[in-house]
Amino acid sequence: MSYFEQSKIKFEKLKDKEKVLILAFESSCDETSVAVVENGRKILSNIVATQIPIHTRFGGVVPEVASRNHILAISNVTREALLQAGVDLVDIDAIAVTYGAGLIGALLVGVNFAKSLAYANNLPLIGVSHIEGHIAANYLTYPELVPPYMCLLTSGGHTAILEVEDYNKRNMVGSTIDDAVGECFDKVARVLDLGYPGGPKIDKLARLGKPGITFCKTPLRGTYNFSFSGMKTAVINYVHNLEQKGIEINKADIACSFQEEVTDELVTKAISATLEKRLDKLVVAGGVSANSRLQEKLKDVCSKNNINLFIPELSLCTDNAAMIGSAAYFMAKKGEGLSETSLTAKSVVKI
Ligand code: KG4
Ligand code: ZN
């Protein structure tokens, strides 16, 4: 029997198996992460080897450098994940891996490593979309959370409002027509010379400033779509204008005003979509869900509107493999996501 035929039989059995252990891989950007997840809800280990210090000196992620460092890290991170979980490869039921979206070279490292491991150990391989993973981070934080719900996806590469009908099944309600919100945080931080990654730096600095400067002169109204691309230019123009006049810029006020504007836009549209679709749960996903001001505003507005709010615990907001293992579990239970060895990395995936 071929590898794929054997993995198909094992994959089918997962539907009824009581305890499913998934070894998951995530390497879409600048974190090499490997995790062991039990039944989609329990993290046995979640090792994240970050490359942030390596890319900091370049002011952002250098794709080629990221790929090379994933190669250097992935074997040891895998060993550590198994060790910390107290399991061996023979205990694993399936292997999951992010196949996209992300940096193609970085993704290829995880995909090829996972494929080889699956093939060598006769295990089913489950290709997972990074977006599905970010959403699933909430299943790890909240064992009681089940679809349907509204989801505000706010990552470095994607921004959207999604109506989640079931695990791995969603409808797009709105999305950004240009930049993602995380990308916008990073770009504005760069203009202000705050360093990389920009989101957490703006979050911290904004606490020292006051709001009041308007950067987005023409916000999109009457739609659930977002537009963030003008923000960077607006901040540059604002800074240059003051510099030309010899006025000292107040970075904290700029960070605070920018953050207020962006989070207002996210919160208003996410809440309004949740209410319009008569849903009582709002789930937040992606790196920007770590933003303290966004969390504060969402908590306030959700409690006023009787909406239950779900935000992943801080360590699961940004990229990690446990969220991929969780997403893979729920896909497997529905009989979805079994990949062949032809699985390849994709820089763009359907939201
Ligand atoms: O979801 P993620 O880890 O990567 C992608 O899938 O793209 O998100 C990373 C993004 C970066 O743009 C980073 O600046 C942003 O999330 N981020 C934040 C915060 N922490 C991370 N943005 C705003 N405030 C934060 N505290
Ligand atoms: Zn991500």
Side-chain angles (χ1 to χ4, degrees), residues 28-29 31 130 134 154-158 181-183 185-186 197-200 203 259 286-292 317-319:
S28 66
C29 191
E31 328 276 7
H130 189 71
H134 270 303
T154 63
S155 75
H158 301 90
V181 65
E183 188 181 354
F185 265 95
D186 294 337
D203 194 347
Q259 186 174 266
V288 183
S289 55
N291 185 269
S292 62
C317 285
T318 43
D319 294 348

Side-chain angles (χ1 to χ4, degrees), residues 174-179 216-231 261 264-266 268-269:
S175 77
T176 180
I177 58 166
D178 38 56
D179 286 358
C216 184
K217 305 274 191 300
T218 51
L220 292 182
R221 290 287 163 256
T223 164
Y224 288 122
N225 290 336
F226 302 98
S227 170
F228 296 114
S229 72
M231 282 286 192
E261 245 180 304
D264 268 351
E265 181 75 353
L266 293 172
T268 310
K269 288 185 175 168

Side-chain angles (χ1 to χ4, degrees), residues 282-295:
L282 176 62
V283 168
V284 194
V288 183
S289 55
N291 185 269
S292 62
R293 188 68 182 126
L294 177 66
Q295 294 196 1

Side-chain angles (χ1 to χ4, degrees), residues 3 5 17 39 47 78 88 107 130 133 149 175-176 204 227 231 273 284 292 319 331 346:
Y3 156 73
E5 280 164 336
K17 197 164 185 284
N39 289 351
I47 311 295
T78 305
D88 227 321
L107 286 162
H130 189 71
Y149 52 77
S175 77
T176 180
K204 201 166 160 206
S227 170
M231 282 286 192
V284 194
S292 62
D319 294 348
M331 288 161 69
K346 290 203 166 95

Side-chain angles (χ1 to χ4, degrees), residues 209-215 217 238 252-261:
K210 51 181 185 332
I213 313 161
T214 306
F215 293 114
K217 305 274 191 300
Y238 178 84
D253 285 354
I254 297 174
C256 182
S257 301
F258 158 75
Q259 186 174 266
E260 281 305 306
E261 245 180 304

